[in-house]
Amino acid sequence: MRLIHTADWHLGQTLHGASREYEHARFLDWLLEQIAEQAADALLIAGDVFDGQNPPIPALAQFYRFLARATLRFPDLDIVVVAGNHDSGSRLEAPSPLLNEMGVRVIGGLPCDGDGGFDPERMVFPLHDRSGAVAARCVAMPYIRMADLPPVEEEEGVDPLIEGVRRLYAAAAEAGRRNLRPGEALILTGHCYMTGASLSELSERKILGGNQHALPVDVFPEDAAYVALGHLHRAQAVGGRETVRYSGSPIPLALDENAYAHQVALVEFASGRMVEHKPLRVPRFVAIHRLPASGKAAAPEAVLEELRQLALDPALPRESWPYLEVSVDLAEPRPALRDEVDAVLAGRPARLLKLTARLTGSGETLAEAAPDIELAALAPEDVFRRLYARSHEGEPSPALLAAFHELVASVQESA
Ligand SMILES: [Mn+2]
Protein backbone atom coordinates (compact mmCIF):
# COMPACT_ATOMS: atom_id res chain seq x y z
CA MET A 1 0.00 0.00 0.00
CA ARG A 2 1.42 3.34 -1.05
CA LEU A 3 0.19 6.59 0.39
CA ILE A 4 0.99 10.20 -0.26
CA HIS A 5 1.26 12.32 2.87
CA THR A 6 0.89 16.06 2.49
CA ALA A 7 -0.19 18.98 4.70
CA ASP A 8 -0.20 22.74 5.10
CA TRP A 9 -1.54 23.71 1.70
CA HIS A 10 -2.90 26.99 3.07
CA LEU A 11 -5.21 27.48 0.09
CA GLY A 12 -6.25 31.12 -0.11
CA GLN A 13 -2.99 32.42 1.32
CA THR A 14 -1.53 35.72 0.21
CA LEU A 15 2.16 36.47 0.63
CA HIS A 16 2.75 40.18 1.31
CA GLY A 17 -0.34 40.86 -0.77
CA ALA A 18 0.43 38.42 -3.60
CA SER A 19 -2.19 35.72 -4.31
CA ARG A 20 -0.89 32.14 -4.34
CA GLU A 21 -3.78 30.81 -6.41
CA TYR A 22 -1.63 30.10 -9.45
CA GLU A 23 1.00 28.20 -7.42
CA HIS A 24 -1.68 26.19 -5.64
CA ALA A 25 -3.36 25.33 -8.95
CA ARG A 26 -0.06 24.14 -10.41
CA PHE A 27 0.69 22.13 -7.25
CA LEU A 28 -2.70 20.40 -7.34
CA ASP A 29 -2.21 19.52 -11.04
CA TRP A 30 1.21 18.14 -10.17
CA LEU A 31 -0.20 16.16 -7.23
CA LEU A 32 -2.79 14.47 -9.46
CA GLU A 33 0.03 13.41 -11.80
CA GLN A 34 2.03 12.07 -8.85
CA ILE A 35 -0.90 10.00 -7.61
CA ALA A 36 -1.03 8.41 -11.08
CA GLU A 37 2.73 8.05 -11.60
CA GLN A 38 3.43 6.64 -8.15
CA ALA A 39 0.34 4.44 -8.20
CA ALA A 40 -0.70 5.81 -4.82
CA ASP A 41 -3.52 4.03 -3.01
CA ALA A 42 -4.24 6.74 -0.44
CA LEU A 43 -3.84 10.47 0.11
CA LEU A 44 -3.56 11.93 3.63
CA ILE A 45 -3.88 15.69 4.14
CA ALA A 46 -2.71 16.49 7.67
CA GLY A 47 -4.33 19.86 8.29
CA ASP A 48 -4.22 23.50 7.25
CA VAL A 49 -5.97 22.81 3.97
CA PHE A 50 -7.00 26.46 4.03
CA ASP A 51 -5.13 29.49 5.27
CA GLY A 52 -8.08 30.83 7.26
CA GLN A 53 -11.29 29.94 9.04
CA ASN A 54 -13.38 31.57 6.32
CA PRO A 55 -11.54 30.74 3.09
CA PRO A 56 -12.01 32.96 0.05
CA ILE A 57 -14.34 31.52 -2.60
CA PRO A 58 -11.56 30.74 -5.14
CA ALA A 59 -9.78 28.69 -2.46
CA LEU A 60 -12.93 26.69 -1.69
CA ALA A 61 -13.47 26.13 -5.41
CA GLN A 62 -9.86 25.00 -5.79
CA PHE A 63 -10.19 22.40 -3.01
CA TYR A 64 -13.46 20.91 -4.20
CA ARG A 65 -12.35 20.93 -7.83
CA PHE A 66 -9.27 18.97 -6.74
CA LEU A 67 -11.34 16.42 -4.80
CA ALA A 68 -13.73 16.00 -7.75
CA ARG A 69 -10.87 15.46 -10.21
CA ALA A 70 -9.05 13.08 -7.85
CA THR A 71 -12.08 10.91 -7.11
CA LEU A 72 -13.18 10.83 -10.75
CA ARG A 73 -9.75 9.88 -12.03
CA PHE A 74 -8.86 7.52 -9.16
CA PRO A 75 -12.11 5.96 -7.94
CA ASP A 76 -10.23 3.58 -5.60
CA LEU A 77 -8.07 6.25 -3.96
CA ASP A 78 -8.71 6.61 -0.20
CA ILE A 79 -8.58 10.28 0.77
CA VAL A 80 -8.40 11.34 4.43
CA VAL A 81 -8.41 15.02 5.43
CA VAL A 82 -8.03 16.42 8.96
CA ALA A 83 -8.34 20.03 10.08
CA GLY A 84 -5.33 22.07 11.18
CA ASN A 85 -5.25 25.10 13.47
CA HIS A 86 -5.84 27.43 10.53
CA ASP A 87 -8.92 25.56 9.33
CA SER A 88 -12.42 25.86 10.65
CA GLY A 89 -13.01 22.22 11.60
CA SER A 90 -16.78 22.45 11.28
CA ARG A 91 -16.63 24.27 7.95
CA LEU A 92 -14.21 21.64 6.62
CA GLU A 93 -16.52 18.85 7.81
CA ALA A 94 -19.83 20.38 6.66
CA PRO A 95 -19.81 18.76 3.17
CA SER A 96 -19.00 15.32 4.69
CA PRO A 97 -22.31 13.73 3.66
CA LEU A 98 -21.37 14.39 0.03
CA LEU A 99 -17.67 13.70 0.43
CA ASN A 100 -18.23 10.37 2.22
CA GLU A 101 -20.11 9.16 -0.83
CA MET A 102 -17.02 9.99 -2.89
CA GLY A 103 -14.66 8.12 -0.57
CA VAL A 104 -13.26 11.28 1.02
CA ARG A 105 -13.11 11.19 4.83
CA VAL A 106 -12.94 14.52 6.61
CA ILE A 107 -12.37 14.96 10.35
CA GLY A 108 -12.62 18.59 11.49
CA GLY A 109 -12.88 18.02 15.24
CA LEU A 110 -12.91 15.16 17.73
CA PRO A 111 -15.93 12.96 16.94
CA CYS A 112 -18.46 12.54 19.74
CA ASP A 113 -20.91 9.82 20.66
CA GLY A 114 -24.58 10.51 21.50
CA ASP A 115 -23.68 11.68 25.01
CA GLY A 116 -21.06 14.16 23.82
CA GLY A 117 -18.15 11.94 24.86
CA PHE A 118 -15.08 11.36 22.67
CA ASP A 119 -15.84 8.56 20.21
CA PRO A 120 -12.55 7.59 18.57
CA GLU A 121 -14.11 4.72 16.58
CA ARG A 122 -15.58 7.31 14.23
CA MET A 123 -12.14 8.61 13.26
CA VAL A 124 -10.74 5.23 12.17
CA PHE A 125 -10.79 4.61 8.42
CA PRO A 126 -9.55 1.65 6.39
CA LEU A 127 -6.93 2.26 3.71
CA HIS A 128 -6.92 -0.21 0.83
CA ASP A 129 -4.13 -1.53 -1.33
CA ARG A 130 -4.30 -1.98 -5.10
CA SER A 131 -6.08 -5.33 -4.79
CA GLY A 132 -8.83 -3.69 -2.74
CA ALA A 133 -7.80 -5.39 0.51
CA VAL A 134 -7.50 -3.35 3.71
CA ALA A 135 -3.79 -2.68 4.29
CA ALA A 136 -3.97 -0.10 7.06
CA ARG A 137 -6.23 1.62 9.57
CA CYS A 138 -5.87 5.37 9.62
CA VAL A 139 -6.68 7.10 12.90
CA ALA A 140 -7.51 10.59 11.64
CA MET A 141 -6.66 12.90 14.55
CA PRO A 142 -7.24 16.57 13.70
CA TYR A 143 -5.67 19.59 15.40
CA ILE A 144 -6.48 19.26 19.11
CA ARG A 145 -7.87 22.36 20.78
CA MET A 146 -7.44 23.18 24.49
CA ALA A 147 -11.17 22.59 24.99
CA ASP A 148 -10.79 19.04 23.59
CA LEU A 149 -8.39 17.96 26.32
CA PRO A 150 -9.71 15.65 29.02
CA PRO A 151 -9.37 16.97 32.58
CA VAL A 152 -6.14 15.70 34.13
CA GLU A 153 -5.73 15.64 37.92
CA GLU A 154 -2.85 17.70 39.34
CA GLU A 155 0.23 15.61 39.78
CA GLU A 156 3.86 16.46 40.46
CA GLY A 157 5.97 16.41 37.31
CA VAL A 158 3.02 15.83 34.96
CA ASP A 159 2.12 18.53 32.46
CA PRO A 160 -1.69 18.36 32.27
CA LEU A 161 -1.73 19.57 28.68
CA ILE A 162 0.76 17.02 27.38
CA GLU A 163 -0.88 14.31 29.49
CA GLY A 164 -4.28 15.24 28.01
CA VAL A 165 -2.95 14.93 24.46
CA ARG A 166 -1.28 11.64 25.37
CA ARG A 167 -4.58 10.21 26.65
CA LEU A 168 -6.46 11.32 23.52
CA TYR A 169 -3.87 9.65 21.30
CA ALA A 170 -3.88 6.55 23.49
CA ALA A 171 -7.68 6.25 23.19
CA ALA A 172 -7.57 6.96 19.45
CA ALA A 173 -4.78 4.43 18.82
CA GLU A 174 -6.65 1.86 20.89
CA ALA A 175 -9.71 2.34 18.65
CA GLY A 176 -7.42 1.82 15.66
CA ARG A 177 -6.00 -1.37 17.20
CA ARG A 178 -9.47 -2.79 17.86
CA ASN A 179 -10.07 -2.64 14.11
CA LEU A 180 -6.62 -3.87 13.15
CA ARG A 181 -6.21 -7.35 11.67
CA PRO A 182 -2.88 -9.12 11.29
CA GLY A 183 -0.72 -7.57 8.59
CA GLU A 184 -2.50 -4.20 8.69
CA ALA A 185 -0.60 -1.03 9.54
CA LEU A 186 -1.70 1.42 12.25
CA ILE A 187 -1.37 4.94 10.85
CA LEU A 188 -2.01 8.12 12.88
CA THR A 189 -2.35 11.72 11.80
CA GLY A 190 -1.79 14.89 13.80
CA HIS A 191 -1.53 18.63 13.46
CA CYS A 192 0.70 19.81 16.27
CA TYR A 193 4.03 21.25 17.30
CA MET A 194 6.59 18.71 18.45
CA THR A 195 9.69 19.27 20.58
CA GLY A 196 12.99 19.26 18.79
CA ALA A 197 11.45 20.34 15.50
CA SER A 198 12.80 23.27 13.51
CA LEU A 199 10.42 25.93 12.32
CA SER A 200 10.01 29.13 10.38
CA GLU A 201 9.34 32.06 12.69
CA LEU A 202 7.07 33.89 10.33
CA SER A 203 4.31 31.58 9.25
CA GLU A 204 3.99 28.69 11.66
CA ARG A 205 1.85 29.97 14.46
CA LYS A 206 2.68 28.51 17.85
CA ILE A 207 -0.25 26.37 18.85
CA LEU A 208 -1.83 24.65 21.81
CA GLY A 209 -0.51 26.70 24.68
CA GLY A 210 2.52 28.01 22.81
CA ASN A 211 6.05 26.89 22.32
CA GLN A 212 6.54 25.78 25.92
CA HIS A 213 3.93 23.15 25.24
CA ALA A 214 5.63 21.44 22.37
CA LEU A 215 4.70 17.78 22.49
CA PRO A 216 7.22 15.00 23.12
CA VAL A 217 7.31 12.36 20.39
CA ASP A 218 6.28 9.64 22.85
CA VAL A 219 2.67 10.89 22.81
CA PHE A 220 2.47 8.63 19.74
CA PRO A 221 2.41 4.93 20.63
CA GLU A 222 5.38 2.86 19.47
CA ASP A 223 3.23 0.43 17.51
CA ALA A 224 2.13 3.15 15.06
CA ALA A 225 3.59 2.19 11.69
CA TYR A 226 3.51 5.84 10.62
CA VAL A 227 2.44 9.21 12.01
CA ALA A 228 1.55 11.77 9.32
CA LEU A 229 1.99 15.22 10.81
CA GLY A 230 1.12 18.72 9.68
CA HIS A 231 1.84 22.22 11.00
CA LEU A 232 5.56 22.73 10.42
CA HIS A 233 6.41 23.75 6.89
CA ARG A 234 9.84 22.12 6.76
CA ALA A 235 9.72 18.39 5.98
CA GLN A 236 11.35 16.43 8.80
CA ALA A 237 11.28 13.33 10.94
CA VAL A 238 10.59 13.96 14.62
CA GLY A 239 12.50 12.92 17.73
CA GLY A 240 14.72 10.44 15.90
CA ARG A 241 11.72 8.37 14.81
CA GLU A 242 11.81 7.89 11.04
CA THR A 243 8.14 6.91 11.03
CA VAL A 244 6.95 10.15 12.69
CA ARG A 245 7.10 12.87 10.07
CA TYR A 246 6.07 16.27 8.95
CA SER A 247 5.53 16.28 5.18
CA GLY A 248 6.14 20.04 5.13
CA SER A 249 4.18 22.46 2.99
CA PRO A 250 4.17 22.08 -0.81
CA ILE A 251 5.00 25.76 -1.38
CA PRO A 252 6.94 28.31 0.69
CA LEU A 253 4.42 30.19 2.83
CA ALA A 254 6.91 32.81 3.99
CA LEU A 255 9.91 34.34 2.26
CA ASP A 256 12.23 32.71 4.79
CA GLU A 257 10.91 29.28 3.79
CA ASN A 258 12.45 29.72 0.35
CA ALA A 259 15.34 27.38 1.14
CA TYR A 260 13.14 24.49 2.35
CA ALA A 261 12.97 21.40 0.15
CA HIS A 262 9.20 21.56 -0.38
CA GLN A 263 7.79 18.11 -0.95
CA VAL A 264 5.10 15.56 -0.33
CA ALA A 265 5.97 12.17 1.14
CA LEU A 266 5.45 8.87 -0.64
CA VAL A 267 5.20 6.18 2.04
CA GLU A 268 5.00 2.49 1.34
CA PHE A 269 3.74 -0.20 3.71
CA ALA A 270 3.96 -3.97 3.68
CA SER A 271 2.92 -6.48 6.34
CA GLY A 272 1.81 -3.72 8.69
CA ARG A 273 5.09 -1.77 8.59
CA MET A 274 6.54 1.19 6.76
CA VAL A 275 9.03 -0.21 4.26
CA GLU A 276 9.91 2.92 2.33
CA HIS A 277 9.71 6.69 2.69
CA LYS A 278 10.52 8.81 -0.32
CA PRO A 279 10.26 12.59 -0.66
CA LEU A 280 8.66 13.81 -3.89
CA ARG A 281 10.02 17.30 -4.48
CA VAL A 282 7.38 19.78 -5.59
CA PRO A 283 8.63 21.83 -8.56
CA ARG A 284 8.92 25.55 -7.81
CA PHE A 285 6.29 27.32 -9.89
CA VAL A 286 7.27 30.83 -8.80
CA ALA A 287 10.84 31.64 -7.80
CA ILE A 288 11.74 33.77 -4.80
CA HIS A 289 14.82 35.99 -5.02
CA ARG A 290 16.08 37.49 -1.79
CA LEU A 291 18.58 40.31 -2.26
CA PRO A 292 21.40 40.64 -1.37
CA ALA A 293 21.83 37.03 -2.44
CA SER A 294 24.81 36.74 -0.08
CA GLY A 295 22.42 37.12 2.85
CA LYS A 296 24.73 39.81 4.22
CA ALA A 297 23.30 43.30 4.64
CA ALA A 298 24.52 45.82 2.05
CA ALA A 299 24.30 49.52 1.24
CA PRO A 300 21.68 50.76 -1.25
CA GLU A 301 24.08 51.23 -4.21
CA ALA A 302 25.30 47.65 -3.98
CA VAL A 303 21.78 46.25 -3.66
CA LEU A 304 20.41 48.38 -6.50
CA GLU A 305 23.28 47.21 -8.70
CA GLU A 306 22.58 43.57 -7.81
CA LEU A 307 18.93 44.18 -8.68
CA ARG A 308 19.98 45.67 -12.05
CA GLN A 309 22.10 42.59 -12.78
CA LEU A 310 19.47 40.09 -11.66
CA ALA A 311 18.72 37.68 -14.51
CA LEU A 312 14.98 37.64 -15.18
CA ASP A 313 13.15 35.65 -17.84
CA PRO A 314 11.09 37.96 -20.08
CA ALA A 315 9.24 34.94 -21.54
CA LEU A 316 7.51 34.13 -18.24
CA PRO A 317 3.78 34.82 -18.03
CA ARG A 318 2.91 37.42 -15.39
CA GLU A 319 1.53 34.87 -12.89
CA SER A 320 4.91 33.16 -12.67
CA TRP A 321 7.07 36.27 -12.37
CA PRO A 322 9.45 35.76 -9.44
CA TYR A 323 8.86 37.31 -6.04
CA LEU A 324 11.54 39.67 -4.77
CA GLU A 325 12.57 40.53 -1.24
CA VAL A 326 15.04 43.39 -1.08
CA SER A 327 16.87 44.36 2.10
CA VAL A 328 19.02 47.46 2.40
CA ASP A 329 21.20 48.88 5.16
CA LEU A 330 20.64 52.61 5.46
CA ALA A 331 23.35 54.71 7.12
CA GLU A 332 21.61 57.96 6.19
CA PRO A 333 18.07 58.93 5.19
CA ARG A 334 17.04 57.89 1.69
CA PRO A 335 13.41 58.87 1.32
CA ALA A 336 13.29 57.95 -2.38
CA LEU A 337 14.57 54.39 -1.87
CA ARG A 338 11.28 52.78 -2.85
CA ASP A 339 11.14 54.89 -6.03
CA GLU A 340 14.73 53.95 -6.87
CA VAL A 341 13.92 50.26 -6.51
CA ASP A 342 10.75 50.66 -8.56
CA ALA A 343 12.75 52.47 -11.26
CA VAL A 344 15.25 49.59 -11.51
CA LEU A 345 12.38 47.12 -11.79
CA ALA A 346 10.22 49.15 -14.18
CA GLY A 347 9.11 47.02 -17.13
CA ARG A 348 10.92 43.94 -15.85
CA PRO A 349 9.26 40.57 -15.12
CA ALA A 350 9.42 40.47 -11.30
CA ARG A 351 7.22 41.32 -8.34
CA LEU A 352 8.61 43.21 -5.36
CA LEU A 353 6.93 41.76 -2.27
CA LYS A 354 9.04 43.25 0.47
CA LEU A 355 11.51 46.09 0.78
CA THR A 356 13.22 46.34 4.14
CA ALA A 357 15.40 49.27 5.12
CA ARG A 358 17.47 48.54 8.20
CA LEU A 359 18.61 51.71 9.93
CA THR A 360 22.18 51.44 11.18
CA GLY A 361 22.11 54.19 13.84
CA SER A 362 22.64 53.61 17.55
CA GLY A 363 19.05 52.51 18.12
CA GLU A 364 19.13 54.32 21.46
CA THR A 365 16.16 56.32 22.63
CA LEU A 366 16.68 59.81 24.06
CA ALA A 367 16.37 58.47 27.60
CA GLU A 368 18.93 55.76 26.93
CA ALA A 369 21.39 58.06 25.16
CA ALA A 370 21.25 60.84 27.79
CA PRO A 371 19.72 59.52 31.01
CA ASP A 372 20.80 62.50 33.13
CA ILE A 373 19.50 65.27 30.90
CA GLU A 374 16.12 66.94 31.34
CA LEU A 375 14.25 67.19 28.07
CA ALA A 376 13.49 70.88 28.82
CA ALA A 377 17.24 71.59 28.98
CA LEU A 378 17.73 70.51 25.39
CA ALA A 379 17.34 72.85 22.43
CA PRO A 380 15.08 71.50 19.65
CA GLU A 381 18.14 70.97 17.43
CA ASP A 382 19.81 68.82 20.15
CA VAL A 383 16.73 66.62 20.33
CA PHE A 384 16.70 66.39 16.55
CA ARG A 385 20.39 65.43 16.40
CA ARG A 386 19.89 62.71 19.00
CA LEU A 387 16.88 61.39 17.10
CA TYR A 388 18.98 61.37 13.95
CA ALA A 389 21.76 59.44 15.70
CA ARG A 390 19.25 56.84 16.84
CA SER A 391 18.45 55.98 13.21
CA HIS A 392 21.49 57.07 11.24
CA GLU A 393 25.25 57.34 11.24
CA GLY A 394 27.22 60.61 11.02
CA GLU A 395 25.76 64.11 11.15
CA PRO A 396 22.53 65.36 9.56
CA SER A 397 23.26 67.29 6.36
CA PRO A 398 23.07 71.12 6.38
CA ALA A 399 20.04 70.92 4.08
CA LEU A 400 18.23 68.59 6.48
CA LEU A 401 19.06 70.85 9.45
CA ALA A 402 17.85 73.89 7.54
CA ALA A 403 14.58 72.11 6.76
CA PHE A 404 14.22 71.18 10.41
CA HIS A 405 14.72 74.81 11.56
CA GLU A 406 12.22 76.00 8.98
CA LEU A 407 9.70 73.53 10.37
CA VAL A 408 10.39 74.60 14.00
CA ALA A 409 9.97 78.26 13.03
CA SER A 410 6.66 77.62 11.27
CA VAL A 411 5.33 75.65 14.26
CA GLN A 412 6.38 78.39 16.70
CA GLU A 413 4.75 81.07 14.52
CA SER A 414 1.46 79.29 14.38
CA ALA A 415 1.47 78.54 18.12
MN1 LIG B 1 -0.79 24.75 11.32
Side-chain angles (χ1 to χ4, degrees), residues 8 10 47-48 84-86 191 203-205 207 230-233:
D8 296 278
H10 290 262
D48 287 356
N85 58 312
H86 281 253
H191 191 95
S203 70
E204 294 153 347
R205 211 181 285 163
I207 52 175
H231 185 54
L232 297 191
H233 301 162

Side-chain angles (χ1 to χ4, degrees), residues 134-145:
V134 174
R137 304 284 166 175
C138 176
V139 179
M141 182 71 88
Y143 166 60
I144 297 169
R145 295 183 153 69

Side-chain angles (χ1 to χ4, degrees), residues 131-398:
S131 76
V134 174
R137 304 284 166 175
C138 176
V139 179
M141 182 71 88
Y143 166 60
I144 297 169
R145 295 183 153 69
M146 289 289 223
D148 295 328
L149 296 175
V152 173
E153 56 292 348
E154 290 280 334
E155 197 185 325
E156 186 78 16
V158 174
D159 183 314
L161 193 149
I162 292 171
E163 185 55 28
V165 172
R166 192 188 301 281
R167 288 184 195 177
L168 286 179
Y169 265 102
E174 188 47 40
R177 274 181 218 113
R178 277 198 295 276
N179 289 274
L180 211 62
R181 289 172 309 194
E184 295 175 0
L186 179 64
I187 295 172
L188 310 180
T189 71
H191 191 95
C192 44
Y193 179 50
M194 308 300 298
T195 44
S198 64
L199 74 164
S200 140
E201 285 301 324
L202 293 179
S203 70
E204 294 153 347
R205 211 181 285 163
K206 310 279 191 298
I207 52 175
L208 200 68
N211 210 353
Q212 71 276 22
H213 273 120
L215 301 172
V217 73
D218 63 10
V219 296
F220 305 123
E222 286 283 344
D223 61 340
Y226 189 71
V227 183
L229 295 176
H231 185 54
L232 297 191
H233 301 162
R234 186 201 291 271
Q236 56 195 294
V238 176
R241 277 167 71 177
E242 288 302 308
T243 54
V244 180
R245 287 186 170 269
Y246 288 101
S247 63
S249 64
I251 64 170
L253 296 160
L255 292 165
D256 70 345
E257 293 174 13
N258 186 40
Y260 291 7
H262 295 277
Q263 58 191 258
V264 302
L266 177 70
V267 196
E268 192 167 343
F269 298 85
S271 310
R273 298 170 58 97
M274 178 179 106
V275 290
E276 205 191 338
H277 172 278
K278 191 172 131 194
L280 306 175
R281 285 288 293 271
V282 182
R284 189 61 72 85
F285 307 109
V286 172
I288 293 174
H289 298 303
R290 309 178 80 191
L291 275 65
S294 65
K296 281 205 197 91
E301 281 69 25
V303 178
L304 287 168
E305 185 53 29
E306 194 176 334
L307 200 52
R308 249 175 239 118
Q309 302 296 332
L310 185 66
L312 295 167
D313 179 359
L316 285 180
R318 181 173 262 278
E319 60 214 10
S320 43
W321 286 4
Y323 299 133
L324 301 184
E325 178 185 13
V326 176
S327 306
V328 174
D329 261 6
L330 277 192
E332 53 191 43
R334 193 149 177 149
L337 178 65
R338 173 70 202 222
D339 293 340
E340 292 178 87
V341 171
D342 285 344
V344 171
L345 287 174
R348 297 174 70 203
R351 290 174 282 184
L352 178 66
L353 292 198
K354 193 177 178 196
L355 172 62
T356 308
R358 200 178 66 95
L359 304 175
T360 60
S362 69
E364 288 182 320
T365 62
L366 191 60
E368 288 163 347
D372 302 328
I373 296 178
E374 289 279 323
L375 186 59
L378 290 171
E381 185 179 316
D382 292 328
V383 177
F384 180 71
R385 283 178 177 277
R386 286 165 196 273
L387 176 69
Y388 187 91
R390 181 174 82 179
S391 299
H392 305 296
E393 297 172 39
E395 296 292 316
S397 68

